[in-house]
Amino acid sequence: KINLENNTFTLCRANYIPVTNYLKLLKNYENENDLTTWEDLTINLSRVQFLFAHHDFIKELDKFVLDLYKNILNKLGWDEKKNDQDNTKLLRSMVLAMTGLSDHEKVLNESKKRFNNYLRNGELNPNIKGVVYSLNAYTGDKNTYTKLKELYHKAKLQEEKNRLLAALSTFKQEDLLKETLRFSMSKDVKIQDKLYGILGVSSNTYSKDMAWKFFKENFDEIYKIYKHTSHIMPNLIKGLC
């Protein structure tokens, strides 16, 4: 199943078949439960969404995504069950992120509820923290940005900082995304993590070519930081292009 899906997408990327053929194939995956299959499908479908993000029919594409993920979303829900395996926990986070970023109203509202509850009492399942942070950024404003940044400064675990840096790259507002780029280059972000903030903004459909311009304008500083590494600069440039 995964080979059929991935090979069909590869043919689309090579312009051998129209993307509509790929989307028609995906309708057969509505009842899929396998994590690996959903991972590959989500990565590829996200690329399609990114490509057509500023076209008139993006809302129709988002609706297609929500219909495709409806069954798995209803099955997994937000809360873990006692017999959940690690794969199920990973799949839940992925499905919530994909549906939320495709404007699923109930998912977005629930993420706000859980985020506000976390700010009040500090209770939030670590396995869905990343998606809750990012979805609140996706629908958030300057006030949300400030709260997430405060959480970043308070965080002691690097894993938590990485979740929050990813969320800071998920806002829609240009001024907030520019602030994330500047913040990524500050002393508050470790050298090995700076590129994640830049690449996060680059992968945001609302940033357009903002990250690439930032990279060019700050190339000397970035090169000075990473010139002695054999892989970070190439990976950063590859990600930006």
Side-chain angles (χ1 to χ4, degrees), residues 23 45 48-49 52 57-65:
L23 297 179
L45 192 50
V48 176
Q49 286 181 299
F52 296 114
F57 54 81
I58 185 60
K59 292 298 181 183
E60 295 178 38
L61 182 56
D62 286 343
K63 184 180 183 303
F64 173 87
V65 171

Side-chain angles (χ1 to χ4, degrees), residues 43-188:
I43 291 171
N44 293 336
L45 192 50
S46 294
R47 288 170 175 166
V48 176
Q49 286 181 299
F50 186 88
L51 180 64
F52 296 114
H54 302 290
H55 287 256
D56 294 337
F57 54 81
I58 185 60
K59 292 298 181 183
E60 295 178 38
L61 182 56
D62 286 343
K63 184 180 183 303
F64 173 87
V65 171
L66 297 183
D67 288 340
L68 178 64
Y69 284 72
K70 180 175 63 176
N71 291 342
I72 191 67
L73 174 64
N74 290 336
K75 179 179 180 179
L76 296 175
W78 279 86
D79 298 310
E80 291 183 6
K81 302 172 182 63
K82 289 183 178 180
N83 60 343
D84 276 355
Q85 298 180 346
D86 289 340
N87 282 0
T88 303
K89 296 174 184 178
L90 292 172
L91 180 57
R92 175 177 292 107
S93 180
M94 182 195 312
V95 170
L96 290 172
M98 190 63 171
T99 53
L101 294 175
S102 299
D103 292 328
H104 191 298
E105 185 177 358
K106 290 184 178 180
V107 170
L108 293 175
N109 288 339
E110 183 65 21
S111 73
K112 290 178 183 178
K113 176 183 175 182
R114 291 180 184 244
F115 182 64
N116 290 329
N117 185 61
Y118 176 65
L119 293 177
R120 285 194 301 270
N121 58 32
E123 295 180 2
L124 182 60
N125 183 347
N127 292 322
I128 59 169
K129 268 189 174 183
V131 67
V132 169
Y133 292 157
S134 292
L135 292 183
N136 275 271
Y138 177 71
T139 58
D141 53 18
K142 179 63 176 178
N143 184 48
T144 312
Y145 191 94
T146 300
K147 290 176 181 177
L148 288 169
K149 200 180 234 186
E150 288 174 354
L151 289 174
Y152 183 94
H153 288 301
K154 292 178 182 178
K156 296 180 180 180
L157 296 177
Q158 191 57 43
E159 181 182 10
E160 178 73 350
K161 287 183 178 292
N162 290 343
R163 292 190 193 110
L164 289 159
L165 185 59
L168 292 174
S169 306
T170 315
F171 284 85
K172 298 178 183 178
Q173 299 88 334
E174 285 192 14
D175 59 323
L176 299 181
L177 294 176
K178 288 179 180 178
E179 174 59 27
T180 297
L181 290 171
R182 290 191 291 268
F183 179 67
S184 297
M185 292 302 296
S186 72
K187 60 180 177 59
D188 295 306

